[in-house]
Amino acid sequence: MTDIDIGISSSDRARVAEGLKRLLADSYTLYLQTHNFHWNVTGPQFRELHLMFEEHYTELATAVDDIAERIRTLGEVAPGTYKAFAELSSIQEVDGVPAATDMIEILNRGHEQVVKTCRNALGPAQEADDESSAALISDRMRIHEKTAWMLRAMR
């Protein structure tokens, strides 16, 4: 690949990409968890939760692609294995199939964690004057804050 000349130093691009890699890992882990819960939810709220979880994992599928492509735009390699995601993610995996009410709580915590990951990634992007990464991170933060609010409202 040719040299990248987008007005952001290579060291700043690498630093911003590190935050984005963590955001990608958290987003992908949350995607998998949400898809798992979509498949396995049961109980009186089945239809509502099944459909809501589908909306969430569909949105996350687009997000992980956007985040990975931004990492590549910065000239870094996007992580793409379960092993890499497990090492980078702040979201804990869940064993077994929790009750529907527990699924709501687990996903709420996951979305709140992604908000925190966004906050950690935002500073380096802003310091590097990387408006594209900052905008992506801010957009992700807003979506996860709203989703967490909606999940909290179901309790």
Short mmCIF file of all heavy atoms in Angstrom, two decimals, residues 8-58:
data_model
loop_
_atom_site.label_atom_id
_atom_site.label_comp_id
_atom_site.label_asym_id
_atom_site.label_seq_id
_atom_site.Cartn_x
_atom_site.Cartn_y
_atom_site.Cartn_z
N ILE A 8 -2.82 13.27 9.31
CA ILE A 8 -2.70 12.70 10.67
C ILE A 8 -1.43 11.88 10.68
O ILE A 8 -1.23 11.02 9.80
CB ILE A 8 -3.92 11.80 11.01
CG1 ILE A 8 -5.23 12.57 10.84
CG2 ILE A 8 -3.79 11.26 12.42
CD1 ILE A 8 -6.47 11.68 10.92
N SER A 9 -0.56 12.14 11.63
CA SER A 9 0.72 11.42 11.68
C SER A 9 0.50 9.93 11.87
O SER A 9 -0.54 9.49 12.37
CB SER A 9 1.59 11.96 12.83
OG SER A 9 1.05 11.55 14.07
N SER A 10 1.49 9.15 11.47
CA SER A 10 1.37 7.70 11.60
C SER A 10 1.22 7.28 13.05
O SER A 10 0.46 6.36 13.36
CB SER A 10 2.54 6.98 10.94
OG SER A 10 3.76 7.36 11.56
N SER A 11 1.91 7.96 13.97
CA SER A 11 1.78 7.60 15.39
C SER A 11 0.39 7.93 15.91
O SER A 11 -0.18 7.16 16.69
CB SER A 11 2.86 8.29 16.23
OG SER A 11 2.74 9.69 16.14
N ASP A 12 -0.18 9.06 15.48
CA ASP A 12 -1.55 9.40 15.89
C ASP A 12 -2.56 8.43 15.27
O ASP A 12 -3.52 8.02 15.93
CB ASP A 12 -1.90 10.83 15.50
CG ASP A 12 -1.32 11.87 16.45
OD1 ASP A 12 -0.86 11.49 17.55
OD2 ASP A 12 -1.32 13.06 16.09
N ARG A 13 -2.33 8.05 14.02
CA ARG A 13 -3.24 7.08 13.39
C ARG A 13 -3.22 5.76 14.14
O ARG A 13 -4.27 5.16 14.39
CB ARG A 13 -2.87 6.85 11.91
CG ARG A 13 -3.20 8.03 11.01
CD ARG A 13 -3.16 7.68 9.52
NE ARG A 13 -2.08 6.80 9.14
CZ ARG A 13 -0.87 7.19 8.73
NH1 ARG A 13 -0.58 8.47 8.66
NH2 ARG A 13 0.04 6.29 8.37
N ALA A 14 -2.03 5.33 14.55
CA ALA A 14 -1.92 4.07 15.30
C ALA A 14 -2.61 4.18 16.65
O ALA A 14 -3.30 3.24 17.09
CB ALA A 14 -0.45 3.70 15.48
N ARG A 15 -2.46 5.31 17.31
CA ARG A 15 -3.08 5.51 18.63
C ARG A 15 -4.61 5.52 18.51
O ARG A 15 -5.31 4.91 19.32
CB ARG A 15 -2.57 6.81 19.23
CG ARG A 15 -2.87 6.95 20.70
CD ARG A 15 -2.00 8.07 21.30
NE ARG A 15 -2.77 8.69 22.35
CZ ARG A 15 -3.21 9.93 22.33
NH1 ARG A 15 -2.90 10.73 21.35
NH2 ARG A 15 -3.92 10.40 23.33
N VAL A 16 -5.13 6.23 17.52
CA VAL A 16 -6.58 6.26 17.31
C VAL A 16 -7.09 4.86 16.96
O VAL A 16 -8.12 4.42 17.48
CB VAL A 16 -6.94 7.27 16.18
CG1 VAL A 16 -8.42 7.15 15.81
CG2 VAL A 16 -6.60 8.69 16.62
N ALA A 17 -6.34 4.16 16.12
CA ALA A 17 -6.76 2.81 15.72
C ALA A 17 -6.81 1.86 16.90
O ALA A 17 -7.67 0.96 16.94
CB ALA A 17 -5.81 2.27 14.64
N GLU A 18 -5.94 2.03 17.88
CA GLU A 18 -5.98 1.17 19.07
C GLU A 18 -7.32 1.30 19.79
O GLU A 18 -7.91 0.31 20.21
CB GLU A 18 -4.81 1.46 20.02
CG GLU A 18 -3.51 0.86 19.58
CD GLU A 18 -3.59 -0.63 19.28
OE1 GLU A 18 -4.09 -1.40 20.14
OE2 GLU A 18 -3.17 -1.04 18.18
N GLY A 19 -7.80 2.52 19.96
CA GLY A 19 -9.11 2.72 20.57
C GLY A 19 -10.22 2.14 19.72
O GLY A 19 -11.18 1.55 20.23
N LEU A 20 -10.10 2.30 18.41
CA LEU A 20 -11.11 1.75 17.50
C LEU A 20 -11.10 0.22 17.52
O LEU A 20 -12.14 -0.41 17.38
CB LEU A 20 -10.88 2.26 16.08
CG LEU A 20 -11.21 3.73 15.85
CD1 LEU A 20 -10.72 4.19 14.48
CD2 LEU A 20 -12.70 4.00 16.01
N LYS A 21 -9.93 -0.38 17.70
CA LYS A 21 -9.85 -1.85 17.78
C LYS A 21 -10.60 -2.35 19.01
O LYS A 21 -11.30 -3.37 18.96
CB LYS A 21 -8.40 -2.31 17.82
CG LYS A 21 -7.68 -2.15 16.50
CD LYS A 21 -6.21 -2.51 16.61
CE LYS A 21 -5.47 -2.22 15.32
NZ LYS A 21 -4.04 -2.60 15.40
N ARG A 22 -10.48 -1.64 20.11
CA ARG A 22 -11.22 -2.02 21.33
C ARG A 22 -12.72 -1.83 21.12
O ARG A 22 -13.53 -2.65 21.55
CB ARG A 22 -10.72 -1.23 22.53
CG ARG A 22 -9.29 -1.60 22.89
CD ARG A 22 -8.80 -0.98 24.18
NE ARG A 22 -7.42 -1.35 24.41
CZ ARG A 22 -7.01 -2.55 24.83
NH1 ARG A 22 -7.90 -3.49 25.07
NH2 ARG A 22 -5.75 -2.80 25.01
N LEU A 23 -13.08 -0.75 20.44
CA LEU A 23 -14.49 -0.51 20.13
C LEU A 23 -15.02 -1.60 19.20
O LEU A 23 -16.13 -2.10 19.38
CB LEU A 23 -14.66 0.87 19.50
CG LEU A 23 -16.07 1.26 19.08
CD1 LEU A 23 -17.06 1.16 20.25
CD2 LEU A 23 -16.06 2.66 18.47
N LEU A 24 -14.22 -2.01 18.23
CA LEU A 24 -14.62 -3.09 17.33
C LEU A 24 -14.82 -4.39 18.10
O LEU A 24 -15.82 -5.09 17.92
CB LEU A 24 -13.57 -3.27 16.23
CG LEU A 24 -13.79 -4.41 15.24
CD1 LEU A 24 -15.11 -4.25 14.48
CD2 LEU A 24 -12.62 -4.51 14.27
N ALA A 25 -13.88 -4.71 18.98
CA ALA A 25 -13.98 -5.95 19.76
C ALA A 25 -15.21 -5.94 20.66
O ALA A 25 -15.94 -6.95 20.73
CB ALA A 25 -12.71 -6.15 20.59
N ASP A 26 -15.46 -4.83 21.34
CA ASP A 26 -16.65 -4.75 22.19
C ASP A 26 -17.92 -4.84 21.36
O ASP A 26 -18.88 -5.51 21.74
CB ASP A 26 -16.65 -3.44 22.99
CG ASP A 26 -15.78 -3.49 24.22
OD1 ASP A 26 -15.18 -4.54 24.52
OD2 ASP A 26 -15.68 -2.44 24.90
N SER A 27 -17.93 -4.16 20.22
CA SER A 27 -19.12 -4.17 19.37
C SER A 27 -19.39 -5.56 18.81
O SER A 27 -20.55 -6.00 18.76
CB SER A 27 -18.95 -3.17 18.22
OG SER A 27 -18.79 -1.86 18.72
N TYR A 28 -18.35 -6.26 18.41
CA TYR A 28 -18.53 -7.60 17.86
C TYR A 28 -18.97 -8.58 18.94
O TYR A 28 -19.85 -9.42 18.71
CB TYR A 28 -17.26 -8.10 17.17
CG TYR A 28 -17.54 -9.23 16.21
CD1 TYR A 28 -17.90 -8.96 14.90
CD2 TYR A 28 -17.48 -10.55 16.63
CE1 TYR A 28 -18.19 -9.99 14.01
CE2 TYR A 28 -17.77 -11.58 15.74
CZ TYR A 28 -18.13 -11.29 14.44
OH TYR A 28 -18.42 -12.32 13.58
N THR A 29 -18.39 -8.46 20.11
CA THR A 29 -18.79 -9.33 21.23
C THR A 29 -20.26 -9.07 21.59
O THR A 29 -21.02 -10.02 21.81
CB THR A 29 -17.88 -9.10 22.44
OG1 THR A 29 -16.52 -9.34 22.05
CG2 THR A 29 -18.24 -10.02 23.60
N LEU A 30 -20.66 -7.80 21.63
CA LEU A 30 -22.05 -7.47 21.92
C LEU A 30 -22.96 -7.96 20.80
O LEU A 30 -24.07 -8.43 21.05
CB LEU A 30 -22.19 -5.96 22.12
CG LEU A 30 -23.56 -5.46 22.56
CD1 LEU A 30 -24.00 -6.10 23.88
CD2 LEU A 30 -23.53 -3.93 22.69
N TYR A 31 -22.50 -7.87 19.55
CA TYR A 31 -23.25 -8.41 18.42
C TYR A 31 -23.53 -9.91 18.62
O TYR A 31 -24.66 -10.37 18.49
CB TYR A 31 -22.50 -8.18 17.11
CG TYR A 31 -22.99 -9.04 15.98
CD1 TYR A 31 -24.11 -8.67 15.23
CD2 TYR A 31 -22.37 -10.26 15.69
CE1 TYR A 31 -24.58 -9.48 14.21
CE2 TYR A 31 -22.85 -11.07 14.67
CZ TYR A 31 -23.95 -10.68 13.94
OH TYR A 31 -24.43 -11.49 12.94
N LEU A 32 -22.48 -10.67 18.93
CA LEU A 32 -22.64 -12.11 19.12
C LEU A 32 -23.59 -12.42 20.27
O LEU A 32 -24.45 -13.31 20.17
CB LEU A 32 -21.29 -12.77 19.38
CG LEU A 32 -20.36 -12.90 18.19
CD1 LEU A 32 -19.00 -13.43 18.65
CD2 LEU A 32 -20.95 -13.80 17.13
N GLN A 33 -23.43 -11.69 21.36
CA GLN A 33 -24.28 -11.91 22.52
C GLN A 33 -25.74 -11.60 22.18
O GLN A 33 -26.65 -12.37 22.54
CB GLN A 33 -23.79 -10.97 23.64
CG GLN A 33 -24.14 -11.38 25.02
CD GLN A 33 -23.35 -10.55 26.01
OE1 GLN A 33 -23.53 -9.34 26.09
NE2 GLN A 33 -22.49 -11.19 26.77
N THR A 34 -25.98 -10.52 21.48
CA THR A 34 -27.33 -10.12 21.12
C THR A 34 -27.95 -11.14 20.16
O THR A 34 -29.12 -11.50 20.29
CB THR A 34 -27.32 -8.71 20.49
OG1 THR A 34 -26.69 -7.80 21.39
CG2 THR A 34 -28.73 -8.23 20.20
N HIS A 35 -27.16 -11.61 19.21
CA HIS A 35 -27.67 -12.60 18.26
C HIS A 35 -28.00 -13.91 18.99
O HIS A 35 -29.05 -14.54 18.72
CB HIS A 35 -26.63 -12.84 17.16
CG HIS A 35 -27.24 -13.18 15.84
ND1 HIS A 35 -26.63 -12.89 14.66
CD2 HIS A 35 -28.40 -13.78 15.51
CE1 HIS A 35 -27.38 -13.30 13.66
NE2 HIS A 35 -28.47 -13.84 14.15
N ASN A 36 -27.15 -14.31 19.90
CA ASN A 36 -27.39 -15.50 20.72
C ASN A 36 -28.71 -15.36 21.48
O ASN A 36 -29.54 -16.29 21.50
CB ASN A 36 -26.22 -15.71 21.68
CG ASN A 36 -26.44 -16.84 22.66
OD1 ASN A 36 -27.16 -17.79 22.40
ND2 ASN A 36 -25.80 -16.74 23.80
N PHE A 37 -28.91 -14.21 22.10
CA PHE A 37 -30.14 -14.01 22.87
C PHE A 37 -31.36 -13.97 21.95
O PHE A 37 -32.43 -14.44 22.32
CB PHE A 37 -30.03 -12.73 23.71
CG PHE A 37 -29.04 -12.81 24.84
CD1 PHE A 37 -28.72 -11.67 25.57
CD2 PHE A 37 -28.39 -13.99 25.18
CE1 PHE A 37 -27.80 -11.73 26.61
CE2 PHE A 37 -27.46 -14.05 26.22
CZ PHE A 37 -27.18 -12.91 26.94
N HIS A 38 -31.22 -13.42 20.77
CA HIS A 38 -32.31 -13.41 19.78
C HIS A 38 -32.76 -14.84 19.48
O HIS A 38 -33.95 -15.14 19.43
CB HIS A 38 -31.83 -12.71 18.51
CG HIS A 38 -32.68 -12.95 17.31
ND1 HIS A 38 -33.87 -12.29 17.09
CD2 HIS A 38 -32.50 -13.77 16.24
CE1 HIS A 38 -34.39 -12.70 15.94
NE2 HIS A 38 -33.58 -13.60 15.41
N TRP A 39 -31.79 -15.72 19.29
CA TRP A 39 -32.11 -17.11 18.98
C TRP A 39 -32.74 -17.85 20.15
O TRP A 39 -33.58 -18.72 19.97
CB TRP A 39 -30.85 -17.89 18.58
CG TRP A 39 -30.26 -17.52 17.27
CD1 TRP A 39 -30.92 -17.13 16.13
CD2 TRP A 39 -28.88 -17.53 16.93
NE1 TRP A 39 -30.03 -16.90 15.12
CE2 TRP A 39 -28.76 -17.14 15.58
CE3 TRP A 39 -27.71 -17.84 17.64
CZ2 TRP A 39 -27.54 -17.04 14.93
CZ3 TRP A 39 -26.50 -17.74 16.99
CH2 TRP A 39 -26.41 -17.35 15.65
N ASN A 40 -32.31 -17.52 21.36
CA ASN A 40 -32.61 -18.37 22.52
C ASN A 40 -33.57 -17.78 23.54
O ASN A 40 -33.86 -18.43 24.54
CB ASN A 40 -31.30 -18.78 23.21
CG ASN A 40 -30.50 -19.70 22.33
OD1 ASN A 40 -30.96 -20.78 21.98
ND2 ASN A 40 -29.31 -19.28 21.94
N VAL A 41 -34.08 -16.58 23.32
CA VAL A 41 -35.00 -15.99 24.28
C VAL A 41 -36.30 -16.78 24.33
O VAL A 41 -36.77 -17.31 23.32
CB VAL A 41 -35.26 -14.49 23.97
CG1 VAL A 41 -36.04 -14.31 22.67
CG2 VAL A 41 -35.95 -13.80 25.14
N THR A 42 -36.86 -16.89 25.53
CA THR A 42 -38.16 -17.54 25.72
C THR A 42 -38.94 -16.74 26.76
O THR A 42 -38.37 -15.87 27.42
CB THR A 42 -38.01 -19.00 26.22
OG1 THR A 42 -37.29 -18.99 27.47
CG2 THR A 42 -37.28 -19.87 25.21
N GLY A 43 -40.21 -17.06 26.89
CA GLY A 43 -41.01 -16.44 27.93
C GLY A 43 -42.09 -15.53 27.38
O GLY A 43 -42.26 -15.40 26.16
N PRO A 44 -42.81 -14.87 28.30
CA PRO A 44 -43.96 -14.04 27.92
C PRO A 44 -43.60 -12.88 26.99
O PRO A 44 -44.44 -12.43 26.23
CB PRO A 44 -44.51 -13.51 29.24
CG PRO A 44 -43.88 -14.31 30.31
CD PRO A 44 -42.65 -14.95 29.74
N GLN A 45 -42.37 -12.40 27.06
CA GLN A 45 -41.95 -11.28 26.21
C GLN A 45 -41.22 -11.77 24.95
O GLN A 45 -40.54 -11.00 24.28
CB GLN A 45 -41.02 -10.35 26.97
CG GLN A 45 -41.68 -9.56 28.08
CD GLN A 45 -40.67 -8.63 28.72
OE1 GLN A 45 -39.72 -9.08 29.37
NE2 GLN A 45 -40.86 -7.34 28.51
N PHE A 46 -41.38 -13.04 24.63
CA PHE A 46 -40.61 -13.63 23.52
C PHE A 46 -40.64 -12.78 22.26
O PHE A 46 -39.61 -12.39 21.74
CB PHE A 46 -41.09 -15.05 23.19
CG PHE A 46 -40.53 -15.54 21.88
CD1 PHE A 46 -39.23 -16.00 21.79
CD2 PHE A 46 -41.30 -15.47 20.72
CE1 PHE A 46 -38.70 -16.41 20.57
CE2 PHE A 46 -40.78 -15.89 19.50
CZ PHE A 46 -39.47 -16.35 19.44
N ARG A 47 -41.84 -12.52 21.75
CA ARG A 47 -41.94 -11.82 20.46
C ARG A 47 -41.28 -10.45 20.52
O ARG A 47 -40.50 -10.09 19.64
CB ARG A 47 -43.39 -11.71 20.02
CG ARG A 47 -43.54 -11.02 18.67
CD ARG A 47 -44.92 -11.22 18.07
NE ARG A 47 -45.13 -10.39 16.91
CZ ARG A 47 -44.57 -10.58 15.72
NH1 ARG A 47 -43.76 -11.58 15.54
NH2 ARG A 47 -44.83 -9.79 14.70
N GLU A 48 -41.60 -9.69 21.54
CA GLU A 48 -41.05 -8.33 21.67
C GLU A 48 -39.52 -8.36 21.75
O GLU A 48 -38.84 -7.61 21.05
CB GLU A 48 -41.63 -7.66 22.92
CG GLU A 48 -41.10 -6.29 23.19
CD GLU A 48 -41.64 -5.68 24.48
OE1 GLU A 48 -42.40 -6.36 25.20
OE2 GLU A 48 -41.29 -4.53 24.75
N LEU A 49 -38.99 -9.25 22.59
CA LEU A 49 -37.53 -9.31 22.76
C LEU A 49 -36.85 -9.90 21.52
O LEU A 49 -35.80 -9.42 21.10
CB LEU A 49 -37.17 -10.12 24.00
CG LEU A 49 -37.56 -9.47 25.33
CD1 LEU A 49 -37.24 -10.40 26.49
CD2 LEU A 49 -36.89 -8.12 25.50
N HIS A 50 -37.45 -10.93 20.93
CA HIS A 50 -36.90 -11.55 19.74
C HIS A 50 -36.73 -10.49 18.63
O HIS A 50 -35.66 -10.40 18.00
CB HIS A 50 -37.81 -12.69 19.29
CG HIS A 50 -37.35 -13.44 18.10
ND1 HIS A 50 -36.32 -14.37 18.15
CD2 HIS A 50 -37.79 -13.43 16.81
CE1 HIS A 50 -36.14 -14.89 16.94
NE2 HIS A 50 -37.02 -14.33 16.12
N LEU A 51 -37.75 -9.69 18.42
CA LEU A 51 -37.70 -8.66 17.38
C LEU A 51 -36.74 -7.53 17.75
O LEU A 51 -35.99 -7.03 16.91
CB LEU A 51 -39.10 -8.11 17.11
CG LEU A 51 -40.09 -9.10 16.50
CD1 LEU A 51 -41.48 -8.51 16.43
CD2 LEU A 51 -39.61 -9.59 15.14
N MET A 52 -36.75 -7.12 19.02
CA MET A 52 -35.85 -6.05 19.45
C MET A 52 -34.39 -6.48 19.33
O MET A 52 -33.55 -5.73 18.83
CB MET A 52 -36.15 -5.63 20.89
CG MET A 52 -35.26 -4.49 21.37
SD MET A 52 -35.60 -3.97 23.06
CE MET A 52 -35.02 -5.40 23.96
N PHE A 53 -34.09 -7.70 19.76
CA PHE A 53 -32.71 -8.18 19.66
C PHE A 53 -32.27 -8.24 18.20
O PHE A 53 -31.12 -7.94 17.88
CB PHE A 53 -32.56 -9.55 20.33
CG PHE A 53 -32.77 -9.55 21.83
CD1 PHE A 53 -33.02 -10.74 22.49
CD2 PHE A 53 -32.73 -8.39 22.58
CE1 PHE A 53 -33.20 -10.78 23.87
CE2 PHE A 53 -32.92 -8.40 23.96
CZ PHE A 53 -33.17 -9.61 24.61
N GLU A 54 -33.19 -8.61 17.31
CA GLU A 54 -32.85 -8.63 15.88
C GLU A 54 -32.51 -7.23 15.38
O GLU A 54 -31.55 -7.04 14.62
CB GLU A 54 -34.00 -9.22 15.06
CG GLU A 54 -33.66 -9.32 13.58
CD GLU A 54 -34.75 -10.02 12.77
OE1 GLU A 54 -35.86 -10.25 13.30
OE2 GLU A 54 -34.47 -10.36 11.61
N GLU A 55 -33.29 -6.24 15.78
CA GLU A 55 -32.97 -4.85 15.42
C GLU A 55 -31.58 -4.47 15.91
O GLU A 55 -30.81 -3.85 15.19
CB GLU A 55 -34.00 -3.89 16.02
CG GLU A 55 -35.37 -3.95 15.41
CD GLU A 55 -36.37 -3.12 16.20
OE1 GLU A 55 -35.98 -2.34 17.11
OE2 GLU A 55 -37.58 -3.23 15.90
N HIS A 56 -31.28 -4.85 17.14
CA HIS A 56 -29.99 -4.49 17.75
C HIS A 56 -28.83 -5.17 17.04
O HIS A 56 -27.83 -4.52 16.72
CB HIS A 56 -29.98 -4.84 19.23
CG HIS A 56 -30.89 -4.01 20.06
ND1 HIS A 56 -31.04 -4.19 21.41
CD2 HIS A 56 -31.72 -2.97 19.74
CE1 HIS A 56 -31.92 -3.32 21.89
NE2 HIS A 56 -32.34 -2.58 20.89
N TYR A 57 -28.93 -6.48 16.79
CA TYR A 57 -27.78 -7.15 16.17
C TYR A 57 -27.62 -6.73 14.71
O TYR A 57 -26.50 -6.69 14.19
CB TYR A 57 -27.78 -8.66 16.36
CG TYR A 57 -28.69 -9.49 15.49
CD1 TYR A 57 -28.46 -9.65 14.12
CD2 TYR A 57 -29.77 -10.16 16.04
CE1 TYR A 57 -29.28 -10.43 13.33
CE2 TYR A 57 -30.59 -10.96 15.26
CZ TYR A 57 -30.34 -11.07 13.90
OH TYR A 57 -31.17 -11.85 13.13
N THR A 58 -28.71 -6.39 14.05
CA THR A 58 -28.60 -5.90 12.67
C THR A 58 -27.87 -4.56 12.63
O THR A 58 -27.00 -4.35 11.78
CB THR A 58 -30.01 -5.79 12.04
OG1 THR A 58 -30.62 -7.09 12.06
CG2 THR A 58 -29.94 -5.26 10.62
#
